[in-house]
């Protein structure tokens, strides 16, 4: 079932008309128009009649806004609202016509004898009825247009607050998870009396400074994200004996290219997690970062160790919960809307992730 909507006006035009309404310009223009088209009676009568008509229009607008729309336009009272609206429009037209008849008698000395049933009075009543119907319709349209604009503003504020809360929540998921793994790695190096333990603490300190300070911004320069990735890879390599097939390729045209912070970290962490390079030297992790013009392309490819749990099932659904892939997808959606591509390819031995912005 389609939702019925009233005609809408651009917000700028609505604001302008509301200002003109508050300043009295609308009423002045209405007075001039009504005085100009008035073809009956003397100039004094036309001026007083136009002034009374504008006053009745102001009263109808106020009555419609403050009484009908505020108190009767509610569920369960729609029928009463319609009946009162019809009554108000007819009453206002009749009152305006009666005022004109009285003014003709008092100012232009017209007789009351044939006035109530004369064709002139009937035509006057119909013309005033059309005027007040139009006034009523415009008032209702403006009321709902203003209400819709207010709801849009509130909705946008709620969406913005919700977005900020979700981003903070996702970041809070990343930071403790990373810190937990990093501390475990350092503990292993200290426990085995690894000479790289001191360098590991230094690398961890630099990465935590990035996570706790730089990542508080909504967007950061790509150069900072890459520096963090380099530190992360160096940190991972410290706990592995011998050489490993780990490659980080970079092609960056603009180092100040802005990107969501910690967006790539869950993917890179999964690369090391599921390739298990410390126990499977034949595995590899290949990472490519390319930024040209206004575009960004990230590709991470790694082998999957036999005893490592698959990241996704054959049907493409996530099998292991936590952060990682789900987190990245949520942050891409929150930051970039539909302006991104996120592609995953996996078989029993290979896992590949591609992101384009």
């Amino acid at each position: 079932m389609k939702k019925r909507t009233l005609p809408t006006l651009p917000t700028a035009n609505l604001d302008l008309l509301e200002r003109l309404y508050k300043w009295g310009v609308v009423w002045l223009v209405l007075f001039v128009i009504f005085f100009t088209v008035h073809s009956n009676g003397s100039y004094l009568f036309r001026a007083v009649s136009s002034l009374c008509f504008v006053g009745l229009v102001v009263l109808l607008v106020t009555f419609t806004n403050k009484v009908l729309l505020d108190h009767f336009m509610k569920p369960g009272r729609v029928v009463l609202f319609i009946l009162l609206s019809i009554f108000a429009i007819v009453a206002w037209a009749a009152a305006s016509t009666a005022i004109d008849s009285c003014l003709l008698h008092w100012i232009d000395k017209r007789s009351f004898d044939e006035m109530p049933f004369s064709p002139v009075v009937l035509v006057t009543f119909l013309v005033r009825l059309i005027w007040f119907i139009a006034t009523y319709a415009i008032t209702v349209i403006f009321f709902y247009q203003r209400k819709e604009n207010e709801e849009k503003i509130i909705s946008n504020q709620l969406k913005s607050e919700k977005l900020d809360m979700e981003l903070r929540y996702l970041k809070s998921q990343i930071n403790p998870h990373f810190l937990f793994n990093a501390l475990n790695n350092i503990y292993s190096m200290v426990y085995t009396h690894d000479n790289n333990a001191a360098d590991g603490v230094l690398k961890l300190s630099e990465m935590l400074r990035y996570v706790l300070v730089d990542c508080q911004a909504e967007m950061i320069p790509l150069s900072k994200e890459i520096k963090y990735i380099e530190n992360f890879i160096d940190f991972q390599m410290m706990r592995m004996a011998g050489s490993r097939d780990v490659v980080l390729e970079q092609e960056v045209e603009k180092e100040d290219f802005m990107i969501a912070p910690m967006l790539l970290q869950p993917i890179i962490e999964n690369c090391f997690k599921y390739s298990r390079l410390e126990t499977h030297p034949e595995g590899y992790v290949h990472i490519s970062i390319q930024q040209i013009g206004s575009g960004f392309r990230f590709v991470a490819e790694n082998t999957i160790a036999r005893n490592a749990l698959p990241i996704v099932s054959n049907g493409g659904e996530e099998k292991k919960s936590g952060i990682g892939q789900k987190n990245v997808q949520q942050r891409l959606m929150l930051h970039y809307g539909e302006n991104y591509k996120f592609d995953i390819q996996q078989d029993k031995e290979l896992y590949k992730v591609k992101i384009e912005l």
Side-chain angles (χ1 to χ4, degrees), residues 313-328:
S313 64
N314 293 332
E317 296 180 356
E318 190 174 70
K319 193 169 183 178
K320 181 174 176 59
S321 60
I323 54 173
Q325 172 192 326
K326 184 178 180 181
N327 181 284
V328 172

Side-chain angles (χ1 to χ4, degrees), residues 119-137:
V120 174
V121 173
L122 292 177
V123 170
T124 301
F125 173 78
L126 292 176
V127 171
R128 302 300 170 86
L129 186 64
I130 294 173
W131 271 98
F132 288 118
I133 289 174
T135 300
Y136 173 84

Side-chain angles (χ1 to χ4, degrees), residues 227-244:
K227 181 61 178 176
Y228 168 83
I229 292 173
E230 290 174 340
N231 286 337
F232 181 86
I233 292 175
D234 290 343
F235 182 84
Q236 295 294 327
M237 297 299 292
M238 286 180 183
R239 58 192 179 90
M240 301 180 192
S243 61
R244 294 292 188 273

Side-chain angles (χ1 to χ4, degrees), residues 238-275:
M238 286 180 183
R239 58 192 179 90
M240 301 180 192
S243 61
R244 294 292 188 273
D245 187 2
V246 178
V247 178
L248 172 62
E249 296 180 346
Q250 304 178 40
E251 184 181 357
V252 179
E253 187 176 272
K254 301 176 182 178
E255 291 189 353
D256 58 349
F257 180 84
M258 305 303 287
I259 189 173
M262 299 287 285
L263 180 67
L264 310 176
Q265 187 267 348
I267 298 175
I268 296 174
E269 186 172 352
N270 278 338
C271 288
F272 285 92
K273 180 177 180 180
Y274 291 100
S275 59

